[in-house]
Amino acid sequence: MTDKDTDDKPAFFVSRRGRKVGMHEVDLGGIDIDSEAPEDKATQPAEPPKRSKVPKSSKSVQREKRTWTKKKTIVLAVVLALLALPLVAAELVTAEYKRGVSSAKRDLASLVSSTVLPAQKKTTVSADQIRTIANKVNDTVGHMCRGGFLDNAASLYPRANVALRDCKATQSRYASLATNLYALELQARYLERVDALVKPVATPITDEFAVIGAQQSAWQTAADGVSKLSPPSTMKSAHDDLTKHMSAAAAAWSKLNTANNAQDAAAFQEAEKALASEYEAIRQTSLLFSAVLSDTQAKINASYSELK
């Protein structure tokens, strides 16, 4: 085949569809060289079909819900417990202090009705009875406001701290009552000893044949016994007066005995006047002792009134 024959044959090319197309069949006027050729969807690889999701069974969903809810509940419970723990501790401490105050009031009311009131109906109340009452009040003080760790815990929480202060204030009033009762017990015990020494000799003599010498000896023994007593500090002044006048009365009895033995009427009368004067002085000291007792009893009444 010559070059001429080749030039005479029409040119052609194979289209995307595999058909031979001659150049004379192509409309070159509508071709935009810069634009991309439209894609032939037939030549593009097919996308793999999408798999549809298989719905989970209701049991699986419920299991997931239960697992999630259980975990959430546990976490929530732990958080709430941690948040509530200080509040619970504060309320427990507060309740403990309030319970101590209430219990103390009940104990005091029971003590008054069972011990104090019956004792007041008697002519005298012994020192031992007063001490029993004081010990019971003091025991009540010891069971209030426990102290130690509880007080340390109370300092961390405002409500518990207020309850602690209230309990301490009430405890202080109970302690004051116990202190005054113990003071009264000491005073009563001292006066019981004084009474045992003075009463036998202070009784007026009705026997005209009584031996003056025996009376003088008895008064001297009583005066010595009183001087050896240790009074409470509140009765020290009255004790000193009593000791002085007891010794003076013993001395008057001695003078009376001497005048009687000497048959000295003037000296005897002078000794009698001195003895009567000392008797009156001794009686006045009893008023001093009564004033001290009244002051202590007033303090006890005041302390008790605050606790009603």
Side-chain angles (χ1 to χ4, degrees):
M1 183 179 294
T2 65
D3 293 337
K4 185 178 179 181
D5 294 335
T6 305
D7 293 337
D8 291 340
K9 288 182 179 181
F12 67 90
F13 65 93
V14 179
S15 70
R16 287 189 176 92
R17 292 183 174 86
R19 188 171 67 86
K20 290 183 179 182
V21 180
M23 291 297 295
H24 63 280
E25 295 178 322
V26 178
D27 183 7
L28 297 177
I31 296 176
D32 185 0
I33 299 174
D34 294 330
S35 63
E36 295 180 356
E39 294 182 358
D40 190 351
K41 292 183 179 181
T43 61
Q44 293 181 358
E47 293 182 0
K50 294 181 179 180
R51 294 182 178 179
S52 60
K53 294 183 179 180
V54 179
K56 295 182 179 180
S57 65
S58 59
K59 289 185 178 179
S60 176
V61 174
Q62 289 177 0
R63 190 180 300 110
E64 288 187 3
K65 282 186 176 182
R66 281 200 302 269
T67 304
W68 178 83
T69 304
K70 191 179 295 182
K71 289 181 180 178
K72 182 178 179 181
T73 302
I74 293 172
V75 172
L76 184 61
V78 171
V79 171
L80 289 177
L82 292 175
L83 293 175
L85 185 60
L87 297 176
V88 173
E91 290 305 316
L92 288 175
V93 173
T94 301
E96 179 64 25
Y97 288 126
K98 290 183 177 180
R99 185 163 48 249
V101 172
S102 299
S103 177
K105 288 183 178 180
R106 289 193 302 270
D107 291 345
L108 182 61
S110 176
L111 176 63
V112 169
S113 62
S114 64
T115 306
V116 177
L117 293 180
Q120 288 179 342
K121 294 178 181 179
K122 298 180 180 179
T123 306
T124 58
V125 179
S126 69
D128 288 339
Q129 288 176 312
I130 297 173
R131 185 168 187 83
T132 298
I133 297 171
N135 285 341
K136 289 182 178 179
V137 174
N138 197 49
D139 288 342
T140 299
V141 173
H143 288 91
M144 296 176 65
C145 314
R146 298 287 185 173
F149 174 76
L150 199 64
D151 289 358
N152 294 334
S155 63
L156 301 175
Y157 310 109
R159 267 177 58 81
N161 205 13
V162 170
L164 173 60
R165 289 198 300 268
D166 292 343
C167 185
K168 289 290 187 182
T170 305
Q171 185 184 41
S172 177
R173 290 192 286 271
Y174 276 91
S176 177
L177 176 59
T179 299
N180 291 326
L181 285 168
Y182 282 124
L184 183 63
E185 180 257 333
L186 289 177
Q187 294 166 1
R189 197 170 297 282
Y190 165 78
L191 290 177
E192 285 176 354
R193 292 169 181 167
V194 169
D195 188 64
L197 292 169
V198 175
K199 192 173 182 179
V201 295
T203 304
I205 300 174
T206 58
D207 185 3
E208 58 180 335
F209 299 105
V211 180
I212 297 177
Q215 285 294 315
Q216 182 263 324
S217 178
W219 269 93
Q220 190 61 56
T221 301
D224 292 343
V226 170
S227 66
K228 293 177 181 178
L229 295 178
S230 298
S233 58
T234 52
M235 290 184 165
K236 181 67 168 58
S237 177
H239 168 80
D240 291 342
D241 282 352
L242 178 62
T243 301
K244 180 179 70 175
H245 294 299
M246 287 288 293
S247 297
W253 272 106
S254 179
K255 291 179 180 179
L256 192 66
N257 187 39
T258 301
N260 181 62
N261 292 334
Q263 296 296 305
D264 187 343
F268 190 88
Q269 289 178 353
E270 185 179 348
E272 280 186 322
K273 289 180 182 179
L275 188 58
S277 176
E278 294 306 326
Y279 278 179
E280 179 60 24
I282 292 172
R283 191 183 69 81
Q284 291 296 324
T285 60
S286 68
L287 298 179
L288 296 177
F289 287 122
S290 295
V292 175
L293 287 174
S294 297
D295 182 64
T296 304
Q297 288 173 341
K299 291 178 180 178
I300 291 172
N301 292 337
S303 297
Y304 175 68
S305 297
E306 292 180 354
L307 295 172
K308 285 184 178 179

